[in-house]
Amino acid sequence: MNPIPTAPPVDSPPAPDGAGPPTRRQRRRRRVGRFTPRDIAVIGLLLGLPLLLDLALIWGPALASIGLSFTSWNGISEIEPVGLDNYVNIVSNYPPFWPAVRHNLLWLAFLGLVATPFGLFLAVLLDREMRFTRFYQTAFYLPVVLSLAVVGFIAQLIFSRDYGAANAILGRTDNPIDWLGDPSINLWSVLLLVGWRHVGYVMLLYLAGLKAVDPSLKEAAAIDGAGEVQTFFRVVFPALRPVNVIVLVITVIEGLRAFDIVYAINRGRNGLELLSVLVTDNIVGEASRIGYGSAIAVILLLISTGFIAVYLVQVFRRDEA
């Protein structure tokens, strides 16, 4: 049979200018063109107002503190530039500075190495849907709703030398222990209550993260013969990496911004010195050394961002690998 002849292909006419597929810029213009002036005004208000508040309340004071840290100013007289003199005097001639740095680092280490793992442990237990799980969640989370100032007053009720519950429980009413007045132990007494509050917050974050873990991962690990401990550390815990980043940031912030609990106990003195208290004493106190206090605030800012930046860099490198 002879093959059926086919018509030769007809060249399609060239597309007129602008008739091709729209470019990215054209699609963007079309999307923007769909908004009415009222929509643009509402979007600008919703985005611009939070941005202005962020600049005015966070970035503005932070940049102002950095600038004032290189000056000598008491809030009334003229601002005098002093260069790095504030930092040099803080490091070499300010006795409360190094004890405050040590206390802040101890605070951070206690929250990160004791309170945070204990909160993770409670989250793992409550994730198993044991009896009275809701009651336990409420009981452990209840301290989180209390401010640290209220926790400071609770510390006085528990650890007071004369009428505290701790000495009564230990039977030390005749020879009481000065839990809050002894500089060698008062920091640890306060850290117990701070950890009590921090555990509930960490527990709630990890419990939400555990609920989001795919159950098929645990089932696959069980089929491969992994035990509960191996499954958690090799399967579940790596899946909690986003929660770990959040918990780390919160822990660093809680460890370095601590102020109100020690200020409610003894105004941050006699063994409870913290960097935040030194900032307040120098800026708001009788000395009113705003430049000096701003320098301490900048040091506190550098310490906090340093911890977070190092950890985030490691996390991003692991993700890329």
Side-chain angles (χ1 to χ4, degrees), residues 12 43 52 180:
S12 58
I43 294 174
L52 290 177
L180 300 178

Side-chain angles (χ1 to χ4, degrees), residues 98-181:
W98 289 112
V101 172
R102 183 172 65 252
H103 296 163
N104 271 111
L105 293 179
L106 285 175
W107 203 292
L108 179 60
F110 182 84
L111 293 182
L113 301 179
V114 178
T116 297
F118 189 64
L120 175 60
F121 175 72
L122 293 179
V124 173
L125 292 181
L126 295 178
D127 186 53
R128 298 183 177 182
E129 298 295 339
M130 62 176 64
R131 295 182 61 185
F132 307 111
T133 299
R134 298 296 182 185
F135 171 77
Y136 293 135
Q137 291 180 15
T138 304
F140 290 130
Y141 185 75
L142 185 61
V144 181
V145 302
L146 303 176
S147 66
L148 283 177
V150 176
V151 177
F153 292 117
I154 295 176
Q156 291 180 339
L157 295 176
I158 296 176
F159 296 113
S160 176
R161 181 180 181 275
D162 299 324
Y163 54 86
N167 284 327
I169 294 174
L170 296 176
R172 298 293 299 267
T173 55
D174 296 333
N175 186 19
I177 301 175
D178 196 357
W179 299 97
L180 300 178

Side-chain angles (χ1 to χ4, degrees), residues 20-293:
T23 62
R24 182 180 301 177
R25 181 178 299 178
Q26 292 174 341
R27 291 194 298 266
R28 188 180 303 170
R29 289 178 179 175
R30 290 177 183 177
R31 287 196 297 265
V32 175
R34 296 175 185 174
F35 294 110
T36 63
R38 181 180 178 182
D39 295 335
I40 297 176
V42 172
I43 294 174
L45 180 63
L46 294 178
L47 295 178
L49 185 59
L51 180 61
L52 290 177
L53 291 176
D54 184 62
L55 293 175
L57 300 179
I58 298 178
W59 289 103
L63 295 176
S65 298
I66 295 174
L68 290 173
S69 66
F70 300 100
T71 65
S72 176
W73 186 44
N74 59 5
I76 300 176
S77 62
E78 295 183 358
I79 300 177
E80 298 180 2
V82 295
L84 297 175
D85 290 349
N86 288 332
Y87 294 96
V88 174
N89 290 331
I90 289 171
V91 174
S92 59
N93 299 322
Y94 192 43
F97 174 72
W98 289 112
V101 172
R102 183 172 65 252
H103 296 163
N104 271 111
L105 293 179
L106 285 175
W107 203 292
L108 179 60
F110 182 84
L111 293 182
L113 301 179
V114 178
T116 297
F118 189 64
L120 175 60
F121 175 72
L122 293 179
V124 173
L125 292 181
L126 295 178
D127 186 53
R128 298 183 177 182
E129 298 295 339
M130 62 176 64
R131 295 182 61 185
F132 307 111
T133 299
R134 298 296 182 185
F135 171 77
Y136 293 135
Q137 291 180 15
T138 304
F140 290 130
Y141 185 75
L142 185 61
V144 181
V145 302
L146 303 176
S147 66
L148 283 177
V150 176
V151 177
F153 292 117
I154 295 176
Q156 291 180 339
L157 295 176
I158 296 176
F159 296 113
S160 176
R161 181 180 181 275
D162 299 324
Y163 54 86
N167 284 327
I169 294 174
L170 296 176
R172 298 293 299 267
T173 55
D174 296 333
N175 186 19
I177 301 175
D178 196 357
W179 299 97
L180 300 178
D182 189 350
S184 62
I185 60 174
N186 57 1
L187 181 64
W188 302 105
S189 302
V190 173
L191 285 177
L192 287 177
L193 288 177
V194 173
W196 168 62
R197 182 178 180 273
H198 187 71
V199 162
Y201 197 12
V202 173
M203 177 208 69
L204 186 68
L205 293 175
Y206 274 120
L207 188 59
L210 290 172
K211 297 296 184 183
V213 175
D214 190 357
S216 62
L217 297 177
K218 301 178 183 179
E219 296 174 358
I223 293 175
D224 292 339
E228 292 185 2
V229 177
Q230 291 179 334
T231 301
F232 176 77
F233 284 105
R234 297 186 179 183
V235 178
V236 177
F237 191 73
L240 296 175
R241 181 174 297 175
V243 183
N244 293 332
V245 174
I246 297 174
V247 170
L248 172 78
V249 174
I250 292 174
T251 302
V252 172
I253 293 174
E254 288 290 330
L256 297 178
R257 75 174 182 89
F259 167 79
D260 34 11
I261 182 172
V262 297
Y263 206 79
I265 293 174
N266 64 357
R267 295 184 176 272
R269 297 183 176 91
N270 192 28
L272 295 180
E273 296 86 357
L274 295 174
L275 290 175
S276 57
V277 177
L278 300 183
V279 173
T280 304
D281 288 342
N282 283 277
I283 294 179
V284 187
E286 297 179 357
S288 187
R289 298 185 296 179
I290 297 178
Y292 206 79

